[in-house]
Amino acid sequence: MKAFVFLFLCLPLSLLAQKYDFLPLNSGTNTSIRGLSVVSDRVAWVSGSNGSIGKTIDGGKTWQWIKPTGYEKLDFRDIEAFDEFKAVVMNAGSPAFILRTVDGGKTWKETYKNTDSAIFLDGMGFWDEKNGIAFGDPIHNRLQLLKTRDGGLNWQNVSDHLNMDMGPGEAGFAASGTSIRTLGKEKVWIATGGTSANIYYSDNRGYTWKRYPCPILQGEASTGSFSVDFNENGTGVVVGGDYQKDKEHPNNVLLSKDWGKTWNKPLTPVSGFRSGVAYIDAVRAVAVGTSGVDFSRDGGKNWLHLSDLNFNAVGKAKKGSFILLAGNNGLIYRLKSTDK
């Protein structure tokens, strides 16, 4: 479809004043997009329900839609792409699969399968093109962990590395693929929710872990932390809330200055339930959810509502400035700053 520009809003506060264009890139595709991997200003991949995977190699002007043969009914909740040819995708639910392509999606190789009725993968992250980690809901009270050292070709179950029992009713959320985050060469965080919410942190690629309480809204199966992100300086943000009450914001966003050990409320919160958050740089961040989009220009201390558009996931280019937002009905937008 043709991309056209909506000059959406000029924010009134001097601290956060900024003008944005919301550029619609795709809609009307029969998939709820949850997975999003923005490689560069030209290459991005998305994944969602009905076995759908989308790819652009021209900055979102056109999208190629792919359904891996034999996996057309899966709900692909997360995807990690390395270029226009190589990508790894995983589904939520049982049986659990991880697929890998090295030819731009023409063919897919099944590299992981788990038929346990309790398996439910929530997300994955990669430190580089070879080394990655995936996690899933607890089985027998233990968070499920998988690691790869060859770009997703093989996966090893390393659940015994996280030697902690999770609380009754504690689990992860596969809402945007970003309840797990990797950073640098070795750091990784996992955010959980439900009856209790915690941040699990490792600084050695998941060989050993620490658990820190996350005082975000929690206590019910629909509540908790849904997405987390960190900067190189140790500042982090976690968002979530209650997806059944998506316009309420009693305690939906928290900030950390010490790699996730402690968390505090911002001065101005996000305006509802949020399932995805991403730092654009050291001070700017975007949060998305079913009740809209919020933006911060001061590291997350203050958030302003930009739009009521419904999105599940947000991501910034690994190399570049491209920012994409994705949601239901194949909705994909680009968020572009028009500041001079």
Side-chain angles (χ1 to χ4, degrees), residues 194-233:
T195 54
S196 60
N198 290 289
I199 302 296
Y200 296 83
Y201 170 61
S202 171
D203 61 4
N204 55 14
R205 293 189 179 179
Y207 285 101
T208 60
W209 294 83
K210 295 179 181 179
R211 177 169 57 194
Y212 305 121
C214 182
I216 202 167
L217 181 68
Q218 57 194 274
E220 303 291 339
S222 57
T223 64
S225 45
F226 283 70
S227 179
V228 65
D229 200 11
F230 275 85
N231 275 323
E232 293 283 356
N233 59 8

Side-chain angles (χ1 to χ4, degrees), residues 59-133:
K61 295 177 182 178
T62 61
W63 291 83
Q64 175 189 1
W65 291 96
I66 305 158
K67 288 195 175 186
T69 303
Y71 306 92
E72 295 88 349
K73 295 183 179 180
L74 296 186
D75 190 353
F76 291 125
R77 293 293 183 95
D78 199 8
I79 189 166
E80 184 79 22
F82 307 104
D83 53 39
E84 63 181 280
F85 301 107
K86 297 187 291 294
V88 179
V89 67
M90 51 155 276
N91 74 301
S94 177
F97 296 95
I98 298 178
L99 311 178
R100 181 176 182 259
T101 183
V102 294
D103 57 11
K106 295 178 183 179
T107 61
W108 294 83
K109 178 180 177 62
E110 180 184 299
T111 62
Y112 174 81
K113 181 179 180 179
N114 189 328
T115 59
D116 191 319
S117 60
I119 192 69
F120 193 103
L121 297 180
D122 294 298
M124 60 183 170
F126 279 73
W127 294 281
D128 52 46
E129 195 168 316
K130 294 293 184 181
N131 295 281
I133 186 169

